[in-house]
Each structure stands twice: as structure tokens, then as C-alpha cells.
Amino acid sequence: MAAPDHPALKPRVRERPLSPHLQVYRWQVQMVTSILHRATGVALVVGALAMVYALVALAAGPERWETFTACAGSVLGKIILFGFSWALAYHLLNGIRHLLQDAGHGFAIRDFVRNSWISIIGSVVLVAVAWVIVLMQWGQS
Amino acid sequence: MSDNWKRHENFRTPLKRAVGLGSAKDGTGHFIWQRITAIVLVLLGAYLIGLLLSLGGASYELARAIVGDTVNATILVAFLIAMFWHAKLGLQVVIEDYVHTPALAGVAHVANIFVCALAAIASVLAVIRISLGA
């Protein structure tokens, strides 16, 4: 008599991919880099539209440009600019990481974790350097 | 979908209906263009960030002179086109992943194309106007 779990007795079921259940995963840095890349990408679209506004204002004349610089120079404007600059730095660094991965580099688990951290920490360093330069120039002018 | 009306008598799963139809035939193009625009954005973006950081507090005249410079305007136009192309490709994937209502997804895809194209045209036109002194 065949065992109840004999393969021939099982219904033929096509193996299907299951969507991942996020709640069973321990948080790992690779998940953070992946989610942040998409989130910063969407945020940067808004930043790109702000860039369009800046260029159109610059083309439209001194008054419109004044309005733009007043918006960008306000406290809220500076906070948003700072946010955009970090999103850009992160998306840029992690984008380069993705391009290197597309070329087949950095897939060993240790490398993957390490270059994930490089994206995150590097973006913070890059933004800090950029804003130090900007603030130094504001001090001079 | 045109066969919505008979959904109640159709017990086939979406997978069963999709199997054997092949790929959508344009995934590779999407992948390649996303990477090409990414490379363009890294190179030209580095140039533009350097330019922006060297500006300091930009007066109206200085900002116009720098944007209107022939080399800078050329790089800026290339950057803007690559940026909004890249944005369109990226947002398209986000919509495909998260918007599951067919009608809403269709509207979102069309809106994505319209907004990205319009933004690219408006910004490129602005750079051209500045560059030509109009």
C-alpha cells in the first residue's frame, strides 16, 4: 500500500511564486537601500518639477526669479532643499551601486551588505560636504 | 477588460490565462534605457552639481549668464531630457507595482507620460529662452 504522501497521490499543482510576507523578515540593510532607492526616486521627481519652476522663473524675468529665490530661501524652502539634496546624493550613490551590480560586481553577501552601507553613509557625508561649501559661500557673499 | 461581464463564470486564475502568451516584448528596452539615462545623469549631474556649488548666492544676472552659456545650456538640456525620461521609466514601474485597478493604472500611466513630457518641454524651452537672451 502506498504511503499517503506518495508523489503519485498528490494533486498536480503548478509551483507558483509567493509574494513575500514582510512581517516575517528581520530588517536588513539591503532592504533599506532598496526601499530608499525607490522612495528617493519618487521624491526626486517632485524635486525635478521644482527645478522646472526655477528655470521657468529664471527665463520669465527678475520679478519671477525674486519670487522663486524667496520661496527657496525661506525656512521651509531650505528644509525642502536639504531634503532634496540628500535624496539626490543617496539616489546618485545607490544608482552607481546598481550600475556596478548590473555589470556583475558586488554580489557576494558580505560585499552586498558593505556597499549598502557605503550608499547610506556616503550620501550623508556627500550632503554634509555640499552644504558646508554652500554655507561657506553664503558667509563670503 | 472586455470579458469583465463573464468574470463570474470564469474560474481560471490570472496565471492560467497569462501562461503561454510570452513576454510583453518591451521590458528589455525599458531596462536598457533606464541604465543609459542613469549613466548620462551621473556624468552630467556631477558637472551640474559642481557648477551649482561654485555659484554661491546667485544673483539674477549671474544665474542667467551661467545657465545661458553655450556649453552649460547644452549640458543642461541633455540633463533635463535624460532626467525626465529616467523619471518616466521609474514612475512607470512604481505604478505597475502598486496600482492594481486597471482603469486607475491606465490613467496613472498616461498622466505620468504627460507630466514628464510637459516638464521636459517647459524646462528645455526655458533654457533655450535664457540662452538666446529672450
Side-chain angles (χ1 to χ4, degrees):
Chain A
M1 189 178 129
D5 58 347
H6 190 274
L9 295 175
K10 283 186 174 168
R12 283 161 53 82
V13 178
R14 186 193 291 274
E15 288 290 327
R16 290 172 188 180
L18 295 170
S19 53
H21 295 280
L22 276 179
Q23 63 270 26
V24 305
Y25 283 118
R26 180 168 53 85
W27 275 92
Q28 293 173 312
V29 68
Q30 309 92 294
M31 297 159 72
V32 177
T33 47
S34 175
I35 293 166
L36 277 181
H37 195 73
R38 183 166 277 198
T40 51
V42 173
L44 284 171
V45 177
V46 181
L49 295 178
M51 191 177 167
V52 176
Y53 172 49
L55 286 170
V56 170
L58 187 62
E63 299 84 19
R64 296 284 190 85
W65 180 248
E66 282 295 315
T67 314
F68 166 73
T69 51
C71 282
S74 67
V75 177
L76 184 64
K78 277 178 188 155
I79 292 171
I80 292 173
L81 272 182
F82 185 81
F84 281 150
S85 65
W86 174 75
L88 179 61
Y90 177 79
H91 203 84
L92 175 66
L93 282 184
N94 202 50
I96 293 170
R97 174 171 163 262
H98 273 301
L99 287 173
L100 291 174
Q101 285 173 349
D102 290 337
H105 301 291
F107 274 109
I109 292 176
R110 277 188 58 186
D111 299 343
F112 209 83
V113 169
R114 189 173 51 198
N115 57 40
S116 290
W117 280 111
I118 290 174
S119 284
I120 294 173
I121 297 169
S123 69
V124 175
V125 172
L126 208 59
V127 164
V129 169
W131 279 91
V132 165
I133 293 173
V134 169
L135 293 176
M136 276 167 60
Q137 282 175 339
W138 278 349
Q140 283 171 1
S141 58
Chain B
M1 256 179 257
S2 58
D3 60 351
N4 255 358
W5 61 275
K6 56 179 180 182
R7 198 172 256 177
H8 296 296
E9 49 187 81
N10 188 355
F11 292 100
R12 287 183 170 187
T13 61
L15 178 68
K16 183 68 182 173
R17 272 186 274 126
V19 161
L21 293 179
S23 74
K25 302 288 190 287
D26 60 8
T28 312
H30 185 285
F31 180 94
I32 291 171
W33 280 113
Q34 187 138 42
R35 270 70 188 171
I36 290 175
T37 51
I39 294 166
V40 170
L41 290 170
V42 169
L43 298 177
L44 302 188
Y47 177 88
L48 290 174
I49 290 169
L51 194 67
L52 197 65
L53 289 180
S54 67
L55 267 178
S59 68
Y60 175 72
E61 288 76 18
L62 181 61
R64 270 190 83 102
I66 286 170
V67 170
D69 171 81
T70 312
V71 174
N72 292 345
T74 307
I75 289 175
L76 202 49
V77 167
F79 180 84
L80 288 164
I81 293 171
M83 178 171 70
F84 282 110
W85 196 343
H86 192 82
K88 181 262 170 191
L89 294 172
L91 282 178
Q92 180 190 335
V93 177
V94 173
I95 295 167
E96 286 166 354
D97 282 356
Y98 302 133
V99 183
H100 299 303
T101 315
L104 196 60
V107 171
H109 281 302
V110 173
N112 177 28
I113 293 168
F114 280 9
V115 168
C116 288
L118 265 182
I121 292 166
S123 53
V124 167
L125 199 57
V127 173
I128 291 173
R129 283 177 63 197
I130 293 164
S131 186
L132 298 181

